[in-house]
Amino acid sequence: MRRIVLVEDNPMNRDVIEDIFEFDEIDAELITVGSGEEALEAARTFQPVLILMDIGLPGIDGLEATNRIKADPVTQQIEVWAITAHAMKGDAQKALDAGCSAHITKPINSTDLARKLRSFLGQTTCEAQK
């Protein structure tokens, strides 16, 4: 089964995304970590197809963690999506410059994120409703 790593230090935000995976039947194993340091380890250990990266993390922030993931030949192919409350002008560009391929703002629109995840995984809506 494909794996997706969620990097999120806020328990309420983690719960929202975990619920999307459960109730919208996202066809991937979700692995949750709470820091940029753990994200680096999870990327190497689990080789996920996608990392959902919070930007405002303690220690190594999400942008630095993404930079490191993209600089490592073992993990550089992993897709990274920024999921963040940073929604000011220029924040999306900072995420893209760090190596993220998408910038999703909080609060998260559950329906929209589920649709994006299913599309990324090549999962049709009919498959999700089985």
Side-chain angles (χ1 to χ4, degrees):
M1 174 172 272
R2 296 170 289 187
R3 295 180 179 125
I4 294 176
V5 170
L6 169 62
V7 186
E8 176 60 68
D9 63 324
N10 181 300
M12 290 188 341
N13 291 332
R14 277 197 308 262
D15 289 347
V16 167
I17 294 175
E18 288 170 351
D19 285 350
I20 291 169
F21 274 74
E22 180 179 351
F23 297 115
D24 288 294
E25 299 179 19
I26 303 302
D27 188 23
E29 177 186 2
L30 183 65
I31 299 163
T32 304
V33 299
S35 70
E37 293 84 356
E38 290 175 315
L40 299 173
E41 184 177 329
R44 286 184 142 260
T45 301
F46 299 110
Q47 289 292 300
V49 295
L50 175 64
I51 296 174
L52 302 173
M53 181 73 75
D54 182 19
I55 299 304
L57 297 167
I60 298 173
D61 71 17
L63 295 178
E64 179 60 27
T66 300
N67 273 319
R68 292 184 189 189
I69 288 166
K70 292 301 185 175
D72 184 341
V74 174
T75 58
Q76 67 186 6
Q77 80 290 348
I78 299 169
E79 181 125 357
V80 181
W81 294 357
I83 296 188
T84 181
H86 296 251
M88 300 300 290
K89 185 176 181 177
D91 286 336
Q93 190 59 51
K94 287 177 188 173
L96 295 173
D97 291 345
C100 295
S101 58
H103 183 263
I104 299 166
T105 57
K106 296 176 186 173
I108 294 168
N109 178 320
S110 299
T111 302
D112 189 44
L113 181 57
R115 182 186 51 75
K116 288 177 182 175
L117 288 165
R118 281 195 298 272
S119 177
F120 174 77
L121 294 167
Q123 184 180 355
T124 67
T125 304
C126 293
E127 286 177 304
Q129 293 175 350
K130 285 182 185 174

